[in-house]
Amino acid sequence: MSEKPDRAAARAAEARLIAPVSPQLQRAGALSVLAGLLWPVQAGGLAWAVSGWASGTEVMQRSLWAAAIFLVCVLLRALLEHRAGALLFRAADRVIGGERARILGREALSREARGSAAVAALCVQKLPMLQPWITRYRVAALKVLLLPLALLLLSGWVSWVVALILLVSGPLIPLFMALVGMAAEEASRRQLGEIASMNDMLMDRLSALQDIRLLGATERAAADFEQRAEGLRARTMAVLRIAFLSSTVLELFAAIGVAMVAVYVGFSLLGVLTFGTWGQPMTLSGGLFVLLLAPEFFQPLRDLAAAWHDRASGLAVAQELAEAETAERLSVLGEGTPATPLAGPLAVEIRSAVAALPGRLLALPDLTLKAGEAVALSGPSGAGKSTCLMALAGLVPLAEGEIRVCGRLLDGETADAWRARMAFLPQRPHFGDMTLEAYLGGPDADLETALDLAQAGRIVARLPEGLATRLGERGGGVSGGEARRLMIARAVASERELILADEPTADLDAETGARVIRALLDLRGAGRTLVVATHDPALIAALDRAVEVSA
């Protein structure tokens, strides 16, 4: 993907993110600008009081009035900033929460090629980076457009020289800030990429932790993780270096601008400089007024510079969101919600079907299946056996042909009801964060019969907490064959008629594989219908018939 489409997609994502909360951001920006406009009132009161002290005129009266004005303005500014902050943070929470729900809902029914670790990193680590971008940058940008101009006009009303100094020194800050910001945006993108890559690697190592220990590769795995962590540290430090550089440039020009104003005011009050005040000599109150305005003139620019890096991170996240939005996906038929089982006798028919996978098409074998049959999908690795199972479950869309189930076309309307009649046994065991009892079906299910049928009763009996055990995502505490038999017990307890099993004996020794095969045959004997994707000759021979799947 080229850089221009990337940026265009990022801008589109930015507009989509901001549009729902734009009114809140505008109100917050207006309140922040009003709070900033109160400072000239405070500065005027202070300058008026100090000039009275110097001249001895109405010292107490001026001091009381100036203190009252100052305190009232402080309270008003605090109230305005508090209200603006509340609007901004509510808007940020709304954007982040909505986007997280959008990602999870989309990934649940339409998966892209990225792994779950990358999606988790986007939801948990990267989306919160939008908060400072929303709460700081957009308001800072609005304040830069209005406040410096107002302060410039007020300063020019006292002295056109002061206005000229501010006019010359002020624009240099955004210029250098934009130059540094280009590098900051690229550095932020590299940092986000490193975070996703590190999460992917961590998930891979955790899922294979048992194998890593058995192979004695723990030191190698730790070294790889250390190397990746060092890469993330380097990316993070690059972002911080750019941030410190831009901050240094900002403070340098701001300090020079304020110093030049102070020098001019000082020499004007001493009578050395007699120009720049519209024909009138510089007064103490006027000089103090412009001196107090000068630092505040640069403050919105400071705020924008501080938020510029938040903008870079926010745009990097927006670009990743745009890429995820337009990525090729594997759509799931239906809504993925509980449904009443599809009516009619169990029957499956695949006719001239072609699965639509990301970037390619895959022809599926013609198949006719009746209730009580046990069919093996055989063929070499990569031929499409697993894809055929996914298509039967409505988890892969078709580009051509059709799949009919229970006499009806398998489509978005029937998919959820069809899945209510089947159980799926994936190649890689997966256990949710729940007790084994809850995973198998809960206290209302006939777990004893299910465990016996799956030849898994002894597995549960030797676990320290029995059915109250939590196995962890990959089944920690049980072997691969035992995990598969527990998944078979879950299928039995669900009382689903059709069982789809993907390579149930893969990576198992002969004895363990034989136990899994016996458990599957017991399922067929209990009246269940089986479709098994496998290249295991023993399992193929044990089933009723085999259907060859070729690439």
Side-chain angles (χ1 to χ4, degrees), residues 202-532:
L202 179 60
M203 287 296 292
D204 288 340
R205 298 301 185 270
L206 287 176
S207 63
L209 187 58
Q210 189 172 9
D211 294 334
I212 290 173
R213 294 179 64 185
L214 290 173
L215 294 172
T218 52
E219 293 185 3
R220 173 64 182 274
D224 290 344
F225 193 77
E226 182 180 358
Q227 182 180 4
R228 194 59 58 84
E230 177 63 22
L232 178 59
R233 185 198 65 81
R235 302 291 191 197
T236 304
M237 292 306 297
V239 174
L240 292 177
R241 280 196 296 271
I242 295 172
F244 286 128
L245 173 62
S246 62
S247 178
T248 301
V249 172
L250 168 68
E251 294 302 329
L252 173 63
F253 284 105
I256 291 175
V258 174
M260 290 178 67
V261 172
V263 169
Y264 169 76
V265 170
F267 280 109
S268 294
L269 292 177
L270 291 173
V272 176
L273 299 178
T274 58
F275 61 89
T277 54
W278 308 107
Q280 300 293 329
M282 175 71 73
T283 63
L284 178 60
S285 61
L288 289 174
F289 181 66
V290 294
L291 271 177
L292 290 171
L293 292 186
E296 200 67 17
F297 172 84
F298 293 102
Q299 188 58 47
L301 298 172
R302 285 190 178 94
D303 294 340
L304 184 61
W308 195 262
H309 307 287
D310 300 327
R311 170 188 176 274
S313 298
L315 287 180
V317 175
Q319 180 171 332
E320 185 166 345
L321 290 172
E323 292 171 354
E325 189 83 15
T326 57
E328 286 189 295
R329 297 185 171 276
L330 198 63
S331 299
V332 175
L333 299 180
E335 298 297 325
T337 56
T340 302
L342 192 64
L346 184 68
V348 175
E349 188 173 4
I350 302 178
R351 296 177 182 172
S352 305
V354 178
L357 300 175
R360 66 190 181 102
L361 301 177
L362 185 65
L364 304 179
D366 289 343
L367 172 66
T368 300
L369 181 70
K370 297 180 180 179
E373 286 191 285
V375 176
L377 300 177
S378 63
S381 297
K385 300 187 296 297
S386 298
T387 301
C388 188
L389 289 182
M390 300 284 280
L392 282 174
L395 302 179
V396 173
L398 297 183
E400 300 176 20
E402 64 178 16
I403 298 177
R404 302 190 70 84
V405 293
C406 302
R408 298 181 61 183
L409 183 67
L410 179 58
D411 55 17
E413 294 183 2
T414 58
D416 290 325
W418 168 239
R419 283 192 287 265
R421 296 185 67 168
M422 73 170 61
F424 191 89
L425 306 182
Q427 183 174 352
R428 300 180 66 180
H430 179 88
F431 297 87
D433 183 18
M434 60 185 72
T435 64
L436 187 55
E437 181 182 45
Y439 171 79
L440 293 175
D444 296 331
D446 187 1
L447 300 186
E448 184 176 353
T449 300
L451 291 169
D452 288 342
L453 196 60
Q455 300 185 20
R458 293 183 180 179
I459 301 172
V460 176
R462 69 171 179 79
L463 291 175
E465 298 180 65
L467 289 173
T469 302
R470 292 175 180 264
L471 295 178
E473 184 175 345
R474 295 299 180 190
V478 296
S479 67
E482 290 172 337
R484 289 192 173 103
R485 279 184 281 161
L486 288 173
M487 289 196 300
I488 293 173
R490 184 172 188 256
V492 174
S494 69
E495 299 182 349
R496 305 292 174 89
E497 302 164 75
L498 175 63
I499 310 296
L500 304 181
D502 189 6
E503 300 284 4
T505 60
D507 305 320
L508 301 180
D509 59 70
E511 182 181 354
T512 305
R515 290 178 180 173
V516 172
I517 292 173
R518 283 198 298 273
L520 291 172
L521 294 178
D522 288 343
L523 276 180
R524 185 190 61 177
R528 308 300 170 87
T529 304
L530 300 180
V531 180
V532 182

Side-chain angles (χ1 to χ4, degrees), residues 26-36 79-81 83-84 87:
Q26 291 175 359
R27 289 197 297 272
L31 294 174
S32 294
V33 169
L34 285 176
L79 289 173
L80 291 171
E81 292 291 356
R83 178 58 180 164
L87 288 172

Side-chain angles (χ1 to χ4, degrees), residues 535-547:
H535 58 264
D536 182 357
L539 180 53
I540 295 173
L543 301 182
D544 297 334
R545 59 189 172 96
V547 175

Side-chain angles (χ1 to χ4, degrees), residues 16-26 90-92 94-95 134:
R16 178 176 59 78
L17 292 170
I18 297 303
V21 295
S22 182
Q24 291 173 266
L25 297 182
Q26 291 175 359
R90 278 200 293 268
R94 179 182 172 187
V95 169
I134 295 171

